[in-house]
Amino acid sequence: MNAYTLIDGKAAAARVLVQVRKDVDSLREQDIQPALAVILVGCDPASQVYVRNKILRAEEVGIRSVEHRLSPDTSTAQLLNLIATLNADRSINGILLQLPLPAHMDELRALEAIAPDKDVDGFHSQNVGGLSQGRTVLAPCTPSGCLYLLEQTCGDLRGKHAVVIGRSNIVGKPMAALLLKADCSVTVLHSRSRDAQALCRQADIVIAAVGRPRLINASWLKPGAVVIDVGINRIDDAGRSRLVGDVDFDSALPHVAAITPVPGGVGPMTIAFLMKNTVTAALAQHQAQRSQSEAPCHSIY
Ligand code: NAP
């Protein structure tokens, strides 16, 4: 077997969070207390776990968190009212709407209602558009975490050929935009792609965000590829439930230069970048308020 690097997402996330903690401390010295509002509609068990973890992590780094739990029969109008209240609340810097919403709700309308400068998930069309233009915006947390892992593992990404498998709005597309911004040559594959394996075998970097357990095996990989496995799939393994990625880890190992495990790879990075985005949002809002208050008053008289 070749020598490969196991990319440790837990350790990388811990490093990001240490910096976030320092940034929170320095904001507090300026009397700014970063705060994150988390909205959970309904009682989906996985969403409840995600929300609990996000709130715990926020407390650990000194971010104030405010949880809003709404009943499963909440209407879109009621949710929009809450979002409008949080948008107007200057003590709240970030708003996270835990997805998925119950089927009767208008998810897109709710995400678009969040003020772009408080959109710490980076899903608002203004942030999506800004990202596709290569501007610095609040970018989605999972792809941001993947990019951080790649930069730590590969160093300079310029000119590398990256293949992103999956084109969802929350992972695949923003991942491709971030890699383009990092000067990679980017190919995006999806369920209608022809010769997906052959295209993937050309990649220096593979990001698998498909949601199909162990789809990507050795036959998809060029020797020496760096592989980031975003997939989180629960499977039944000889009567025991366990998590696996989109990459067949054992098959891929002899071919890769570096790979993320599942669990313990990309997962911890998502929450770390949510915290980082909250601090970024708090700082940007404070700077915007300060420049507004310092702007000269224009009188019509
Ligand atoms: P999604 O919205 O279901 O998108 C899956 C994408 O994969 C689609 O673009 C689909 O193509 C493509 N696809 C499906 N089968 C394919 C195939 N055989 N070959 C090539 N492409 C194929 O999923 P997602 O929300 O992006 O999530 C992807 C995975 O990442 C899931 O396992 C999810 O649980 C995980 N995830 C993890 C984190 C984390 O924090 N680690 C965060 C988010 C998501 P079409 O567009 O043509 O349908």
Side-chain angles (χ1 to χ4, degrees), residues 33 50 138 145 156 160 167 282 289 291:
Q33 169 59 67
Y50 291 140
L138 291 169
D156 191 357
K160 293 203 187 293
R167 56 174 168 180
Q289 280 160 20
S291 57

Side-chain angles (χ1 to χ4, degrees), residues 47-193:
S47 293
Q48 287 179 349
V49 173
Y50 291 140
V51 163
R52 196 166 56 236
N53 288 341
K54 286 167 186 174
I55 286 172
L56 275 175
R57 205 60 79 240
E59 281 167 9
E60 278 168 24
V61 295
I63 292 173
R64 182 172 74 89
S65 63
V66 186
E67 195 180 346
H68 294 271
R69 282 179 178 256
L70 307 181
S71 71
D73 57 359
T74 302
S75 66
T76 301
Q78 286 169 320
L79 176 60
L80 293 178
N81 274 340
L82 171 61
I83 292 172
T85 305
L86 295 171
N87 283 343
D89 184 343
R90 288 178 107 177
S91 74
I92 295 293
N93 307 110
I95 302 172
L96 180 129
L97 178 58
Q98 184 64 45
L99 302 178
L101 294 179
H104 69 276
M105 297 186 94
D106 188 338
E107 196 168 284
L108 188 62
R109 213 171 142 209
L111 290 174
E112 284 295 289
I114 295 172
D117 65 338
K118 297 190 179 186
D119 169 37
V120 282
D121 255 339
F123 294 160
H124 191 283
S125 59
Q126 191 169 309
N127 286 321
V128 174
L131 181 62
S132 78
Q133 291 175 336
R135 285 192 272 124
T136 303
V137 290
L138 291 169
C141 304
T142 301
S144 298
C146 294
L147 185 72
Y148 179 93
L149 292 178
L150 284 170
E151 286 170 341
Q152 296 283 303
T153 307
C154 308
D156 191 357
L157 298 178
R158 275 179 299 179
K160 293 203 187 293
H161 181 201
V163 166
V164 181
I165 316 169
R167 56 174 168 180
S168 70
N169 289 336
I170 62 168
V171 189
K173 284 182 196 148
M175 186 74 250
L178 286 170
L179 288 164
L180 267 181
K181 196 169 174 225
D183 290 329
C184 287
S185 305
V186 183
T187 302
V188 181
L189 303 177
H190 47 79
S191 67
R192 306 293 170 93
S193 295

Side-chain angles (χ1 to χ4, degrees), residues 271-289:
I271 296 190
F273 272 80
L274 174 66
M275 300 305 134
K276 189 167 161 40
N277 275 356
T278 304
V279 171
T280 302
L283 187 59
Q285 286 157 35
H286 181 72
Q287 282 168 346
Q289 280 160 20

Side-chain angles (χ1 to χ4, degrees), residues 6 11 50 132 210 227 291 293:
L6 195 61
Y50 291 140
S132 78
V210 193
V227 177
S291 57
S293 65

